[in-house]
Amino acid sequence: MIVTLKEVAERAGVSRSAVSRTFTSGASVSDKMRRKVEKAARELGYSPNALASSLTTGRTKLIGLVSNNFHNPIFLEVFDLFTRGLQDRGLRPLLVNLSDETDPEQSVRMLRQYSVDGVVVASSTLPPGFAKAFRDAGVPVVHSFGRYLSAPQVHVVGIDNVECGRMAARSLVARGYDCVAFMGGPERATSTQDRLSGFMIEMSAHPHIHSSHSFADAYSFDAGRREMLRLLKDTPAQAYFCGDDVLSIGALSAVTGSGLSVPGDIGIIGLNDMEMARWENINLTTIHQPIQQIVNSSIELMAAMLDDPDRLPEARIFACSIVERGTLRPVRAD
Amino acid sequence: MIVTLKEVAERAGVSRSAVSRTFTSGASVSDKMRRKVEKAARELGYSPNALASSLTTGRTKLIGLVSNNFHNPIFLEVFDLFTRGLQDRGLRPLLVNLSDETDPEQSVRMLRQYSVDGVVVASSTLPPGFAKAFRDAGVPVVHSFGRYLSAPQVHVVGIDNVECGRMAARSLVARGYDCVAFMGGPERATSTQDRLSGFMIEMSAHPHIHSSHSFADAYSFDAGRREMLRLLKDTPAQAYFCGDDVLSIGALSAVTGSGLSVPGDIGIIGLNDMEMARWENINLTTIHQPIQQIVNSSIELMAAMLDDPDRLPEARIFACSIVERGTLRPVRAD
DNA sequence: CACTTTTTTGCAACCGGTTGCAAAATATGA
DNA sequence: TCATATTTTGCAACCGGTTGCAAAAAAGTG
């Protein structure tokens, strides 16, 4: 069933090298030769074996796409953008789901076995050390949606989560809430930690405003809903900065389901600006994260690293902005 | 940087075959030899090159995972299940996004170049001919969420969309609506066609009930919302069977956004039972599609085909059931 | 036309592994 | 202990390609 280069060579009555060359751009082949080979190849239905050639060229065009965020709808968009972007450059995403994997070493080994040319870690919850394991193994790596460090050890593309936390806090302050809280995602996620820290820094400048925080155990609707239901049993804050949109929507459901109104009784601001946030029946005020730019920039960076593997680690941070919708009360006039 | 089998052999002072054998399960190696080789391998940090070995073994353990549904959140769940299930069997998903690809031949060629052992087409919108192109190329293929045919030409795993259409129609009839409609997904999608046809068949047994249909141009929130807004401008039906949950939610948003109530003024029933459907602020009555079973069965079938490529095409169809929530009025007592 | 320069082609070695086969080593039995 | 059966090991060819090098062919020059 499978047609090899040798068979094409025999049919065309030329050497194997000649066939190889007609399928390698930039090789020296005469027009006559090319036509002969292409004819034979067409007749036989030949197409070159990318993996065999990778043996000698040292490039597979395979890119590991590693993530553990398979429950946050925003990542469907992320995967869409990554796969299309990589495909457009002739690269092939080998998807790795780390949802329940404990040992990073294992996925490093696996991706090395498949000789991936590079790895994109697309996750806001994996620790920075994870991406480093690839770098240490000599595999070009970009951590998308990763933690911003001023002296990055691997390439990072994302947002400044600390600044987002501050932004959210400032916006709650500006609206005159005097009891606010941060409802984070999983406590161990760097994105949660950074958003909290920014939130606290900003709030510490307003000691008269009461602020607190708690964590949901995943970036998911259910986790957000559960955590908000728990908070509602006690004395809830007037407004919450939720760790991300899907958490916000879960929280929203808990609040309205408990007979309270948003933003009347409780205000909510999210982060991400996922497609759903603008649905009429959700209409979430949130901080917009420029996903498309982050993904495109990651891909561009990856491509650059394939050309120059020794490129120094770089952090590319994109600005976020607040999208005003209907889940926070208006800014006070005073 | 990369360590080869030869280097391990030299360090251990044995032949290359010996090294190869220690890393091949079921090969004949003495314990002494194994220990020697493993020691050398560990010291050198060797791990075998899966692609090089695929050259002689003829198996890459690579599985093409082809889809064009990157805007329907239910597919995030599908990808999660597929990637985990494949990984658990030592298979590696090579993700192919067909969203804007016109030519099926091209992806067939690409996947053959990468010597995938098999292809899973995970899509409810691609035509059956697409999967067939892989079979014709001699690549084992399973079409998940594909069209059910009584004499299938490729392996199909999914639901009976015609029956789902009937089920939806019956449930609307039972609730005493006397003007109903089907709001489908993209007209060319086989799932849309089949759901519509089931719906019509059932309604034709109730000529006194007025029924009609129209199509949204994608399985997406926006498309559903747009289409419902269009329908509302004229004289809308009393209840709609929407092509899928995400369309339903879009429609829901259009209805409530227009000041009408659900299910008071307009009833809606969806299909899929995606996670979101049970969110309190959506609470969608819908037909449950057993995604997990479909995915697991697809993987199982793929594994079986890898063992026996000549296995005859088979259709595995799973039953669906209605999940009653809050977007249809109660069944009439009479 | 003969001679030099440039392009095209084929040879053969190599990429990193696997595997059939026969020789070497070890185990078994009398 | 020796002859035989069994297991382990290495050799060498192969998987499907690529590529440096030198020979062959084509093109350019006087």
Side-chain angles (χ1 to χ4, degrees):
Chain A
M1 198 70 209
I2 79 148
V3 184
T4 73
L5 177 140
K6 192 171 116 188
E7 302 173 56
V8 177
E10 278 162 9
R11 173 157 196 133
V14 301
S15 74
R16 291 160 57 220
S17 346
V19 180
S20 172
R21 286 190 183 105
T22 48
F23 285 95
T24 310
S25 63
S28 144
V29 222
S30 67
D31 284 3
K32 205 198 303 173
M33 171 68 81
R34 159 157 282 126
R35 270 193 298 275
K36 252 199 299 192
V37 172
E38 277 173 350
K39 180 159 172 287
R42 209 173 322 113
E43 288 165 357
L44 260 39
Y46 169 75
S47 77
N49 181 328
L51 303 181
S53 77
S54 82
L55 259 196
T56 39
T57 60
R59 323 215 102 191
T60 54
K61 301 216 166 201
L62 249 27
I63 300 290
L65 181 54
V66 181
S67 186
N68 63 343
N69 298 271
F70 282 81
H71 288 284
N72 191 343
I74 196 141
F75 268 81
L76 185 57
E77 202 181 323
V78 169
F79 293 147
D80 182 36
L81 292 168
F82 264 119
T83 49
R84 306 233 309 256
L86 290 170
Q87 280 174 191
D88 288 349
R89 290 176 184 259
L91 299 170
R92 310 293 164 196
L94 197 55
L95 192 54
V96 179
N97 185 338
L98 233 55
S99 294
D100 35 27
E101 174 126 5
T102 48
D103 180 17
E105 284 308 315
Q106 188 170 333
S107 53
V108 174
R109 201 169 331 121
M110 185 247 114
L111 286 168
R112 291 222 324 177
Q113 289 185 341
Y114 278 85
S115 315
V116 293
D117 286 349
V119 170
V120 173
V121 177
S123 169
S124 58
T125 53
L126 286 168
F130 183 78
K132 243 168 51 185
F134 288 101
R135 192 211 49 180
D136 293 344
V139 182
V141 53
V142 173
H143 189 171
S144 302
F145 304 99
R147 176 178 247 174
Y148 157 62
L149 297 168
S150 49
Q153 301 195 273
V154 299
H155 288 83
V156 173
V157 182
I159 58 173
D160 183 339
N161 282 304
V162 176
E163 180 53 32
C164 286
R166 304 186 65 148
M167 200 182 278
R170 277 196 298 269
S171 106
L172 295 183
V173 169
R175 283 153 210 270
Y177 290 107
D178 43 47
C179 176
V180 302
F182 171 67
M183 183 181 119
E187 186 169 359
R188 312 185 52 185
T190 58
S191 54
T192 304
Q193 293 161 10
D194 293 347
R195 287 166 198 174
L196 171 59
S197 117
F199 187 80
M200 301 293 263
I201 291 171
E202 192 67 29
M203 290 317 298
S204 70
H206 300 274
H208 57 286
I209 301 180
H210 182 262
S211 69
S212 60
H213 68 271
S214 68
F215 304 101
D217 35 72
Y219 280 123
S220 76
F221 175 86
D222 280 338
R225 184 177 146 74
R226 247 191 334 267
E227 177 58 17
M228 183 53 87
L229 285 175
R230 195 185 67 76
L231 291 166
L232 288 174
K233 274 200 250 161
D234 211 355
T235 335
Q238 291 171 349
Y240 286 87
F241 167 39
C242 293
D244 119 304
D245 284 359
V246 79
L247 275 181
S248 305
I249 296 171
L252 200 58
S253 141
V255 173
T256 56
S258 304
L260 298 174
S261 88
V262 174
D265 297 310
I266 290 183
I268 291 180
I269 177 170
L271 193 160
N272 263 353
D273 193 22
M274 61 197 290
E275 196 191 320
M276 227 177 283
R278 62 168 206 276
W279 293 5
E280 300 260 322
N281 48 344
I282 290 176
N283 198 31
L284 180 71
T285 294
T286 189
I287 298 178
H288 175 80
Q289 172 168 219
I291 298 201
Q292 179 145 9
Q293 287 178 62
I294 291 173
V295 171
N296 288 343
S297 183
S298 300
I299 294 174
E300 196 181 85
L301 202 46
M302 175 55 70
M305 269 199 292
L306 297 183
D307 289 336
D308 171 18
D310 297 322
R311 213 168 198 283
L312 283 180
E314 173 184 340
R316 295 189 177 183
I317 302 306
F318 290 93
C320 294
S321 56
I322 291 189
V323 182
E324 305 257 4
R325 293 203 185 90
T327 55
L328 280 189
R329 71 187 186 202
V331 175
R332 279 201 307 186
D334 64 28
Chain B
M1 197 69 210
I2 78 148
V3 184
T4 74
L5 177 140
K6 193 171 115 189
E7 301 173 57
V8 177
E10 278 163 6
R11 174 158 195 132
V14 300
S15 74
R16 290 160 56 221
S17 343
V19 179
S20 172
R21 286 190 182 105
T22 48
F23 286 96
T24 310
S25 63
S28 144
V29 224
S30 68
D31 284 2
K32 204 198 306 174
M33 171 69 83
R34 159 156 282 125
R35 271 193 298 276
K36 251 198 302 191
V37 172
E38 277 173 351
K39 178 158 175 288
R42 208 172 325 112
E43 289 166 357
L44 260 39
Y46 170 75
S47 76
N49 181 329
L51 302 181
S53 77
S54 82
L55 259 196
T56 40
T57 60
R59 323 215 102 191
T60 54
K61 304 219 165 197
L62 250 26
I63 300 289
L65 180 55
V66 181
S67 185
N68 63 344
N69 298 273
F70 281 80
H71 289 283
N72 191 343
I74 196 140
F75 269 80
L76 186 57
E77 203 180 322
V78 169
F79 293 146
D80 182 36
L81 292 168
F82 264 119
T83 48
R84 305 228 317 249
L86 290 170
Q87 280 174 191
D88 288 349
R89 291 176 182 260
L91 299 170
R92 309 295 163 194
L94 197 54
L95 191 54
V96 179
N97 186 337
L98 233 55
S99 294
D100 36 26
E101 174 125 3
T102 49
D103 181 18
E105 284 309 315
Q106 189 171 333
S107 51
V108 175
R109 202 171 329 123
M110 183 247 115
L111 286 168
R112 292 221 325 176
Q113 289 185 341
Y114 279 84
S115 314
V116 293
D117 286 348
V119 170
V120 172
V121 177
S123 169
S124 58
T125 53
L126 286 168
F130 183 77
K132 245 169 48 185
F134 289 101
R135 194 210 49 180
D136 294 344
V139 181
V141 53
V142 173
H143 189 170
S144 303
F145 305 98
R147 176 177 248 173
Y148 157 60
L149 297 167
S150 49
Q153 301 195 273
V154 299
H155 289 82
V156 174
V157 182
I159 58 174
D160 184 340
N161 282 304
V162 176
E163 180 53 31
C164 285
R166 303 186 66 148
M167 199 181 279
R170 277 198 299 270
S171 106
L172 296 183
V173 169
R175 283 154 209 269
Y177 289 107
D178 42 49
C179 177
V180 303
F182 171 66
M183 183 181 119
E187 187 168 359
R188 312 186 53 185
T190 59
S191 54
T192 305
Q193 293 162 9
D194 293 347
R195 288 166 197 175
L196 171 60
S197 114
F199 188 80
M200 301 293 263
I201 291 171
E202 193 67 30
M203 291 316 300
S204 68
H206 301 273
H208 57 287
I209 301 179
H210 183 262
S211 70
S212 61
H213 69 271
S214 69
F215 305 100
D217 35 72
Y219 280 122
S220 75
F221 176 86
D222 280 336
R225 183 178 146 75
R226 249 195 327 268
E227 177 58 16
M228 183 52 86
L229 285 175
R230 196 187 65 78
L231 291 166
L232 288 174
K233 274 200 245 155
D234 212 355
T235 337
Q238 290 169 350
Y240 286 87
F241 168 38
C242 293
D244 119 305
D245 283 0
V246 79
L247 275 180
S248 306
I249 297 171
L252 200 59
S253 141
V255 173
T256 56
S258 304
L260 298 173
S261 86
V262 175
D265 297 310
I266 289 183
I268 291 179
I269 178 171
L271 193 159
N272 264 351
D273 193 22
M274 62 197 288
E275 196 192 319
M276 227 177 285
R278 63 169 204 277
W279 293 4
E280 300 261 321
N281 49 344
I282 290 177
N283 198 30
L284 180 71
T285 294
T286 189
I287 297 179
H288 176 79
Q289 172 167 221
I291 298 200
Q292 180 147 8
Q293 288 178 60
I294 293 174
V295 172
N296 288 342
S297 183
S298 300
I299 293 174
E300 196 180 86
L301 201 48
M302 176 55 69
M305 269 199 292
L306 297 184
D307 289 336
D308 171 18
D310 297 322
R311 213 168 199 284
L312 284 180
E314 175 184 339
R316 296 189 177 182
I317 302 305
F318 291 93
C320 295
S321 57
I322 291 189
V323 181
E324 305 258 3
R325 293 203 186 89
T327 56
L328 280 190
R329 70 187 186 202
V331 175
R332 277 200 310 185
D334 64 28

